[in-house]
Amino acid sequence: MAVRIPSPRPVGTVTRGTTNPNRLRRMDRWIAAVHGGAVRRDRDGVAVDLGYGAAPWTAVELLGRLRTVRPDARVVGIEIDPVRVEAARRYERDGLAFAHGGFEVPLPGGRRPVLIRAANVLRQYDEAEVHAVWERLRARLAPGGLLVEGTCDEIGRRHVWVALGPEGPRTVTFATRLGSLSRPSDLAERLPKALIHRNVPGEPVHAFLSDFDRAWAAAAPFASLGARQRWIGTVRALRRDWPVADGPGRWRQGEVTVRWDALAPRG
């Protein structure tokens, strides 16, 4: 699938472009497991890896993971830096293409993707700009589509992302390699831009992380059974006061998903 779309003035700015193989594996696997049905039902099955960076590894990996739920899934990697696009084109193959662009998400024929994944893209923007970017990207989604926007560390151990539908933000997911975790609030440094400056007293996300730490401390007896069992016990306690949106199958992966409206910034 060749994609050659002139984009005279892409919307956005160039990121640092740092990336590593498997950096986004937690996000990809969550998308495939939780939202694979939407990918299967979509007419075109096109996903976008927005701002894939200086190397195309994340787009290549996204295609492989989506094809576990839809064999004819397609991925377009979009980058605002034309040099990166040209460098990536040697990796193009059936179902994988690269295009020059930004938040306007250029696809041939005005197609709308069922998925836009924007990882580690908005960290460099001001918080005040986030909602306008979200609105622009959501407007590009196919009916029933999904925007996943978040931040992770360099090797994908810790990751927090927001899932948004065409109607707006739905959930926030916290994901970690459990063996690397001292306490759940370690994930605060990976909060997406819409939340990272809100981790202060009086804001819901701060209250959530504080309760998460308390539940983790109370679940210390489970540590003898391993970090996974401690995490599961922690989330079971946490959901008494917070609208946890997933179940033990995801908790076992070192994840927990909470409704956005419970964590949304005040004001």
Side-chain angles (χ1 to χ4, degrees), residues 207-226:
F208 172 76
L209 289 170
S210 297
D211 283 357
F212 209 164
D213 279 352
R214 281 191 286 271
W216 178 256
F222 289 103
S224 62
L225 303 175

Side-chain angles (χ1 to χ4, degrees), residues 7 9-12 78 100-107 136-137 140:
S7 185
R9 195 168 184 177
V11 179
I78 293 179
H100 179 220
F103 296 140
E104 76 281 8
V105 189
L107 291 181
R136 180 183 286 272
L137 296 179
R140 291 291 296 123

Side-chain angles (χ1 to χ4, degrees), residues 10 13-15 17 49-54 77-82 84-85 98-102:
T13 58
V14 177
T15 65
D49 183 10
L50 183 64
Y52 58 83
I78 293 179
E79 248 297 333
I80 201 166
D81 182 346
R84 294 174 183 172
V85 177
F98 297 91
H100 179 220

Side-chain angles (χ1 to χ4, degrees), residues 117-137:
R117 187 191 62 185
N120 304 304
V121 172
L122 296 186
R123 288 284 279 204
Q124 68 183 20
Y125 288 83
D126 291 335
E127 180 186 354
E129 299 177 272
V130 170
H131 284 276
V133 173
W134 280 0
E135 288 182 10
R136 180 183 286 272
L137 296 179

Side-chain angles (χ1 to χ4, degrees), residues 37-218:
V39 175
R40 285 191 294 270
R41 290 189 296 270
D42 185 69
R43 183 185 64 181
D44 294 323
V46 178
V48 165
D49 183 10
L50 183 64
Y52 58 83
W57 318 135
T58 59
V60 173
E61 291 161 357
L62 180 60
L63 177 64
R65 287 162 185 150
L66 290 182
R67 285 198 163 178
T68 66
V69 297
R70 178 170 175 158
D72 66 342
R74 293 177 288 166
V75 170
V76 179
I78 293 179
E79 248 297 333
I80 201 166
D81 182 346
V83 174
R84 294 174 183 172
V85 177
E86 288 307 312
R89 281 191 167 140
R90 66 191 182 98
Y91 294 92
E92 290 185 331
R93 61 174 187 265
D94 178 45
L96 179 64
F98 297 91
H100 179 220
F103 296 140
E104 76 281 8
V105 189
L107 291 181
R111 287 180 178 169
R112 295 177 181 270
V114 65
L115 169 69
I116 300 173
R117 187 191 62 185
N120 304 304
V121 172
L122 296 186
R123 288 284 279 204
Q124 68 183 20
Y125 288 83
D126 291 335
E127 180 186 354
E129 299 177 272
V130 170
H131 284 276
V133 173
W134 280 0
E135 288 182 10
R136 180 183 286 272
L137 296 179
R138 287 191 292 108
R140 291 291 296 123
L141 291 172
L146 185 73
L147 164 64
V148 181
E149 187 271 308
T151 304
C152 68
D153 67 359
E154 288 72 13
I155 59 174
R157 293 172 304 170
R158 297 173 184 169
H159 206 154
V160 186
W161 61 78
V162 181
L164 306 94
E167 78 288 355
R170 297 172 177 172
T171 59
V172 184
T173 298
F174 299 79
T176 185
R177 189 173 72 191
L178 291 170
S180 72
L181 194 72
S182 297
R183 57 184 182 176
S185 61
D186 290 347
L187 288 160
E189 65 183 17
R190 298 300 163 186
L191 288 168
K193 194 68 177 195
L195 294 174
I196 194 165
H197 299 303
R198 301 305 184 113
N199 185 27
V200 295
E203 287 284 348
V205 72
H206 182 271
F208 172 76
L209 289 170
S210 297
D211 283 357
F212 209 164
D213 279 352
R214 281 191 286 271
W216 178 256

